[in-house]
Amino acid sequence: MSSISVPPPKCLQKPLAVPHRHMFGPGPSNVPPRILDAGASPVIGHMHPEIFEIMNDIKSGIQYMFQTRNSMTLAVSGTGHTAMECAIFNAVEAGDSVLAAVNGIWGERAAEMAERIGARVNTIVAPPGGFFTNAELEQALSKHKPVLFFLAHGESSTGVLHPLDGIGQLCHKYNCLFLVDSVASMGGTPLYMDQQGIDILYTGSQKVLNAPPGTAPISFSERACQKIFNRRTKPVSFFLDLSWLANYWGCDGKPSRVYHHTGPVTAFYSLRESLAVLVEEGLEKSWERHEKVAEYFHAGLESMGLKLFVKEKKARLPTVTTIVAPHGYDWKEITIYIMKTHNLEISGGLGPSVGLVLRVGLMGCNSSKANVDMVLAALKDALKHCHKSKV
C-alpha cells in the first residue's frame, strides 16, 4: 500500500482561536455562559433514557414558549431552514396549491422550497417594509384555494412584525393550513399559537433563545397532523419525515422510541437551558423587555437623524431593527468600521433589502438599554469617520 499523499494540514496544528464579539446583527446572538456551560456537559447516547427526559423537558418548554397544547411538538435537528423544510415537506404533496406571503426573503425561500417538491405555488407580494391586510389575504386565499399558507411573523430581512390576529380563522374558513415562521420574533413579542389558529409554527435556537444555532423548535396542530398523516405519498425527505420524528420525540403515543437519527445531544442540553432561562424570566416579561428596549433604541436612532425603514410603529419588529442606509455612505464601510473599531456586529440588508438598510438585532440577553447605548455610540462614531459622498 502506498504512503499517504496528503500531508497533515498545518492549520490544524495550531490551537483554535475564536474572538469574543458583540453579536448585534440579525442572528446568531451571543450565548451566555450558563447556556455554553450546559452545552459542555458530558455526551451520552441519543437513545438513553436521560436524553429522552431532556427531550421531554424541551417539548414542555416549547409548548410554553409557543403557547400551545399540541402534543406534536419537538425540535428539529438543524437550523430554522430545516424546520421550514420540515413543515413544507410534510404538509405539502406534489400538485398541492401553496400560497406564500412575500414581504422579504423568507416568503421567497418558502415559495422556492414548495416549488422544488412540485407544489403549485402562488405568492402575494408586498414591498420591503410593508405587510398585508386581512382583506388582501382573504382575497388571495379565495382566489388560489391553497392547502397551505405561509407567513413570516418576524421578517428579519426587512424588520417587519406582521399582524397575526384573524389570519388563522381566514385560513380555516378556506380549508387551508396556516404556517408561521417565528424565527426572528419568538420570545420577543406576543404570539399565541392555539389562540391565533396557527397550524404549524417554528422558530430557531439562535435568536431570542440565545442558544447556539442547530436546533429548531416546531409544533403541529391536530388539523395539520390529520393532513400530514393521511398523505397519498411519503414526504420527500426521510430525515424530516414527521412520522419518524414524532416517534423519536415521544409524540406518537407509542410505548417505545425507534432509532431515526443521532440527535445532537449537546445542542439539546443548550436548548433545554435556554428554555429554562425563558421560563425563569417569564414570557410576558420577555415580551415587555424587548418592546421597551426597541422603543428606546428607535428613539435614539431618530434623535441622531437616522430613519427607521418600517414606517408604521405597530409593524416594527422589536428584535431586529432596520435602519434606512444613511444617504451618501457605503453601508458596507459602516459595518466593517464598526466591527473593526468596536468589535460589534451589525449587518446590511438581505434579499430585497440589500443596499437599503442596516440591520441591528438585540435579542434575548442582548436586549438591554446598555447595549442600545453601545450600538448608538458605534453608529455615531462610524458616521463621523466613514467616507460620505457629496453627491
Side-chain angles (χ1 to χ4, degrees):
M1 185 179 290
S2 61
S3 61
I4 61 169
S5 60
V6 179
K10 286 189 167 52
C11 61
L12 292 180
Q13 296 172 43
K14 303 173 190 172
L16 175 68
V18 181
H20 180 273
R21 290 203 173 112
H22 301 291
M23 299 297 292
F24 299 161
S29 53
N30 288 108
V31 181
R34 172 177 169 181
I35 295 172
L36 284 173
D37 289 347
S41 299
V43 171
I44 58 174
H46 59 285
M47 300 293 287
H48 289 186
E50 295 88 351
I51 286 294
F52 293 157
E53 188 175 339
I54 289 168
M55 292 165 74
N56 290 340
D57 292 348
I58 290 169
K59 178 176 175 177
S60 296
I62 297 170
Q63 287 170 324
Y64 169 70
M65 178 172 66
F66 284 9
Q67 286 298 288
T68 184
R69 298 190 184 280
N70 293 336
S71 61
M72 195 62 64
T73 299
L74 52 101
V76 183
S77 302
T79 62
H81 277 84
T82 321
M84 186 188 280
E85 289 200 329
C86 181
I88 293 169
F89 289 179
N90 281 285
V92 177
E93 296 187 70
D96 281 350
S97 173
V98 170
L99 178 65
V102 177
N103 64 333
I105 196 171
W106 305 118
E108 294 174 357
R109 292 272 169 100
E112 180 171 341
M113 288 176 185
E115 282 173 353
R116 285 181 178 222
I117 61 169
R120 293 179 292 113
V121 179
N122 292 285
T123 58
I124 178 171
V125 182
F131 60 95
F132 306 94
T133 65
N134 283 14
E136 289 170 331
L137 295 178
E138 180 164 19
Q139 187 177 16
L141 289 166
S142 174
K143 178 181 178 181
H144 300 297
K145 296 181 172 52
V147 302
L148 182 80
F149 170 57
F150 171 89
L151 179 71
H153 182 224
E155 180 45 86
S156 59
S157 68
T158 60
V160 170
L161 176 69
H162 203 290
L164 291 178
D165 288 343
I167 299 175
Q169 289 82 348
L170 285 176
C171 287
H172 300 164
K173 176 181 175 182
Y174 292 94
N175 196 29
C176 168
L177 297 177
F178 186 25
L179 166 60
V180 173
D181 176 317
S182 69
V183 172
S185 60
M186 179 56 64
T189 191
L191 192 156
Y192 308 87
M193 183 175 187
D194 290 355
Q195 290 178 32
Q196 292 176 314
I198 299 168
D199 292 297
I200 310 174
L201 179 65
Y202 66 86
T203 191
S205 57
Q206 76 277 17
K207 308 268 186 174
V208 171
L209 282 174
N210 298 135
T215 53
I218 191 168
S219 183
F220 299 81
S221 71
E222 275 295 322
R223 291 179 77 253
C225 289
Q226 282 177 8
K227 178 168 189 333
I228 290 166
F229 295 127
N230 288 285
R231 294 173 57 101
R232 302 180 304 277
T233 58
K234 290 182 179 181
V236 295
S237 171
F238 175 84
F239 182 63
L240 298 175
D241 187 330
L242 189 60
S243 62
W244 282 91
L245 293 175
N247 177 261
Y248 182 42
W249 279 86
C251 300
D252 62 357
K254 292 181 180 176
S256 61
R257 306 191 196 195
V258 177
Y259 170 72
H260 171 241
H261 72 283
T262 303
V265 294
T266 57
F268 291 166
Y269 305 158
S270 299
L271 179 59
R272 185 203 178 279
E273 196 66 16
S274 68
L275 289 163
V277 171
L278 181 64
V279 165
E280 286 171 19
E281 180 179 16
L283 256 182
E284 290 171 311
K285 286 185 178 177
S286 179
W287 296 340
E288 184 182 353
R289 175 169 56 85
H290 282 83
E291 183 181 352
K292 285 182 176 177
V293 169
E295 288 173 355
Y296 178 71
F297 185 32
H298 297 169
L301 291 168
E302 289 174 334
S303 72
M304 287 174 57
L306 294 171
K307 295 179 181 177
L308 293 161
F309 187 66
V310 180
K311 302 290 185 266
E312 290 198 43
K313 283 187 177 181
K314 68 176 183 178
R316 290 173 184 164
L317 185 58
T319 50
V320 179
T321 295
T322 42
I323 307 159
V324 175
H327 180 70
Y329 290 91
D330 178 350
W331 67 266
K332 285 184 182 176
E333 187 185 357
I334 292 173
T335 59
I336 291 168
Y337 177 87
I338 288 175
M339 175 73 83
K340 185 177 178 181
T341 310
H342 296 270
N343 196 32
L344 189 156
E345 181 194 50
I346 66 171
S347 79
L350 180 67
S353 68
V354 167
L356 301 178
V357 300
L358 296 171
R359 295 185 298 154
V360 179
L362 295 170
M363 298 176 273
C365 65
N366 286 348
S367 179
S368 69
K369 289 185 177 181
N371 285 343
V372 167
D373 292 340
M374 196 188 308
V375 174
L376 293 174
L379 283 168
K380 284 178 186 174
D381 185 38
L383 295 178
K384 183 178 175 183
H385 287 95
C386 291
H387 174 73
K388 184 178 183 183
S389 168
K390 294 180 180 178
V391 178

